[in-house]
């Protein structure tokens, strides 16, 4: 059993995030899905960015930090797209995190990565928000920092391909992603204390 915090995308806390959290719970994990906006989720990516601008990136990070505060130090940091960035940004403050799980976006400053940190990335190929060069540079930096990095690319899938309620959805890529995620989480060491 692993503790996981799953941060939502720029759309907000959508049903897809809650459904995937339930899937992780069914596999025996404890999952927290903080609402970083405190407002109903957006229907379009443009409306999502407007919500992010309204709330502010600093406030989103503060809310993410607050959600993590009561969780054990070895909590897995996970996120979708913008949420991957939140998970990565908070890694520096959570050096004992069991792993970093990034869906639809890279995250984490390689300087915050401890040697041996398990990191798994799932990304569309190509991805409209991250060029192949940016992803390759991030990959080199993370590996150079000592991360145990797994990168999975999904050719032809849209950016947020695991969300069935957006046009990017790719059912095959989504199912493959969640199978890989469950395998990744099952391979992590158990918590030192519950």
């Amino acid at each position: 059993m692993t503790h996981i915090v799953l941060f939502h995308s720029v759309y907000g806390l959508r049903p897809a995030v809650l459904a995937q959290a339930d899937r992780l719970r069914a596999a025996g994990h404890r999952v927290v899905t903080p609402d970083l906006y405190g407002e109903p989720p957006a229907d379009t990516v443009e409306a999502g960015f407007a919500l992010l601008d309204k709330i502010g990136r600093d406030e989103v990070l503060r809310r993410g930090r607050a959600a993590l505060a009561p969780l054990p130090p070895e909590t897995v940091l996970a996120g979708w797209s913008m949420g991957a960035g939140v998970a990565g940004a908070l890694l520096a403050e959570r050096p004992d995190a069991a792993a970093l799980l990034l869906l639809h976006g890279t995250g984490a400053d390689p300087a915050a990565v401890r040697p041996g940190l398990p990191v798994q990335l799932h990304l569309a190929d190509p991805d409209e928000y991250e060029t192949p060069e940016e992803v390759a540079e991030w990959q080199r930096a993370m590996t150079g920092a000592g991360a145990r990095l797994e990168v999975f690319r999904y050719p032809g899938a849209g950016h947020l391909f695991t969300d069935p309620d957006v046009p990017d959805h790719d059912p095959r890529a989504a199912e493959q992603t969640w199978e890989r995620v469950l395998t990744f989480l099952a391979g992590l060491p158990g918590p030192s204390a519950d």
Side-chain angles (χ1 to χ4, degrees), residues 25-118:
R25 288 183 191 105
H29 304 290
R30 291 188 181 171
V31 186
V32 174
T33 54
D35 184 348
L36 301 176
Y37 289 172
E39 302 212 8
D43 292 327
T44 66
V45 70
E46 295 80 12
F49 278 112
L51 271 175
L52 176 60
D53 288 343
K54 173 184 168 186
I55 293 158
R57 292 178 192 277
D58 289 343
E59 179 61 15
V60 164
L61 283 174
R62 189 198 67 72
R63 291 175 183 183
R65 194 174 288 117
L68 271 171
L71 300 176
E74 66 275 5
T75 296
V76 173
L77 304 176
W80 289 36
S81 191
M82 176 201 79
V86 171
L90 295 176
L91 180 64
E93 301 169 26
R94 302 289 290 203
D96 295 326
L100 187 60
L101 174 60
L102 306 170
L103 303 157
H104 315 294
T106 59
D109 177 353
V113 172
R114 71 172 187 276
L117 177 71

Side-chain angles (χ1 to χ4, degrees), residues 10-182:
V10 76
Y11 280 91
L13 188 56
R14 294 170 57 81
V17 175
L18 299 173
Q20 294 310 328
D22 285 343
R23 185 173 183 166
L24 296 173
R25 288 183 191 105
H29 304 290
R30 291 188 181 171
V31 186
V32 174
T33 54
D35 184 348
L36 301 176
Y37 289 172
E39 302 212 8
D43 292 327
T44 66
V45 70
E46 295 80 12
F49 278 112
L51 271 175
L52 176 60
D53 288 343
K54 173 184 168 186
I55 293 158
R57 292 178 192 277
D58 289 343
E59 179 61 15
V60 164
L61 283 174
R62 189 198 67 72
R63 291 175 183 183
R65 194 174 288 117
L68 271 171
L71 300 176
E74 66 275 5
T75 296
V76 173
L77 304 176
W80 289 36
S81 191
M82 176 201 79
V86 171
L90 295 176
L91 180 64
E93 301 169 26
R94 302 289 290 203
D96 295 326
L100 187 60
L101 174 60
L102 306 170
L103 303 157
H104 315 294
T106 59
D109 177 353
V113 172
R114 71 172 187 276
L117 177 71
V119 179
Q120 192 176 71
L121 169 67
H122 299 269
L123 198 62
D125 185 16
D127 186 271
E128 64 186 287
Y129 295 100
E130 300 190 54
T131 68
E133 296 77 22
E134 290 169 332
V135 174
E137 178 57 34
W138 178 86
Q139 220 173 320
R140 281 191 294 276
M142 292 293 280
T143 302
R148 284 190 305 132
L149 179 64
E150 289 182 293
V151 176
F152 296 102
R153 301 299 303 262
Y154 299 87
H159 172 70
L160 206 60
F161 61 86
T162 62
D163 187 334
D165 297 324
V166 300
D168 291 344
H169 185 236
D170 183 320
R172 190 166 160 263
E175 187 57 31
Q176 194 171 36
T177 295
W178 291 107
E179 288 171 6
R180 288 169 167 165
V181 165
L182 290 171

